[in-house]
Amino acid sequence: KAGVTQTPRYLIKTRGQQVTLSCSPISGHRSVSWYQQTPGQGLQFLFEYFSETQRNKGNFPGRFSGRQFSNSRSEMNVSTLELGDSALYLCASSYRGTGELFFGEGSRLTVL
Amino acid sequence: QKEVEQNSGPLSVPEGAIASLNCTYSDRGSQSFFWYRQYSGKSPELIMFIYSNGDKEDGRFTAQLNKASQYVSLLIRDSQPSDSATYLCAVRLGGGTDKLIFGTGTRLQVFP
């Protein structure tokens, strides 16, 4: 069974640009959540989607947005990038929001 | 006060010893508790979860929960060098969601 797939794995952007990250959950998993991981703050919840609906949102500015498609694949977008957005962005899926998360390998974003 | 607190470590234990990892949380409404392991350069993976007060055992791992003291711990028996990783404690406030609040993790080092 394929795991959670995230693309791209690495990317470098400059301040002011925008970025879109993609996540394909484990087959059959309908819940997708996104987390940001930085050395100082650890893992912080961004948002969660279930059946194309945003179920929860973390305490991040409106520059961070996401969506989920009918096939459960999800994307997140960060607009007007800032240096502080440099982080590992992790996507996780679960069958139906049990907290038992399966994480992808992450997309490492560097903002210059 | 951080919502989920862990000692950052490193916690160093000899091979074969018991490693004890601790976590405290601030929200008494927390319902579910998770331990994730993260190897350097890898994404987190779920080790155990616990919902009820008391102990829960799975192989060499035992999770302990004390809701009155707002304390959860993970014991690793017969520690192996391959257990060397960062252990992340996470709590979930309600059911039916993958929104977890993570601690910043405890780095465990098991030396031969």
Side-chain angles (χ1 to χ4, degrees), chain B residues 2-38:
Chain B
K2 290 186 72 93
E3 295 181 67
V4 180
E5 296 211 43
Q6 298 180 256
N7 189 317
S8 62
L11 172 66
S12 293
V13 300
E15 184 174 357
I18 296 176
S20 178
L21 303 159
N22 304 315
C23 171
T24 58
Y25 59 93
S26 60
D27 195 319
R28 287 194 173 274
S30 301
Q31 294 187 2
S32 315
F33 307 85
F34 303 83
W35 284 99
Y36 285 81
R37 175 176 63 197
Q38 187 171 27

Side-chain angles (χ1 to χ4, degrees), chain B residues 38-56:
Chain B
Q38 187 171 27
Y39 291 111
S40 180
K42 300 294 186 181
S43 56
E45 56 180 335
L46 179 66
I47 300 175
M48 291 189 70
F49 58 87
I50 186 167
Y51 298 151
S52 304
N53 274 330
D55 295 359
K56 179 181 178 181

Side-chain angles (χ1 to χ4, degrees), chain A residues 40-107:
Chain A
Q41 298 297 317
L43 271 157
Q44 292 188 287
F45 173 80
L46 280 157
F47 23 66
E48 171 190 14
Y49 290 89
F50 184 82
S51 294
E52 303 178 67
T53 300
Q54 187 179 86
R55 191 155 58 178
N56 274 300
K57 189 177 192 304
N59 189 25
F60 279 82
R63 300 184 296 107
F64 292 80
S65 63
R67 58 179 175 168
Q68 186 181 33
F69 303 96
S70 58
N71 61 359
S72 294
R73 191 177 69 85
S74 178
E75 288 182 348
M76 67 163 282
N77 184 77
V78 188
S79 62
T80 320
L81 285 166
E82 301 178 359
L83 295 178
D85 297 332
S86 294
L88 180 67
Y89 291 87
L90 290 162
C91 170
S93 74
S94 77
Y95 177 58
R96 51 182 174 87
T98 58
E100 298 165 46
L101 304 180
F102 293 83
F103 283 90
E105 293 184 330
S107 293

Side-chain angles (χ1 to χ4, degrees), chain B residues 70-101:
Chain B
Q70 295 175 246
Y71 176 92
V72 57
S73 64
L74 179 70
L75 301 178
I76 306 174
R77 290 183 299 282
D78 189 22
S79 294
Q80 301 297 310
S82 59
D83 294 326
S84 299
T86 297
Y87 289 79
L88 302 166
C89 172
V91 304
R92 185 173 69 155
L93 293 181
T97 176
D98 284 334
K99 179 180 179 180
L100 303 183
I101 309 300

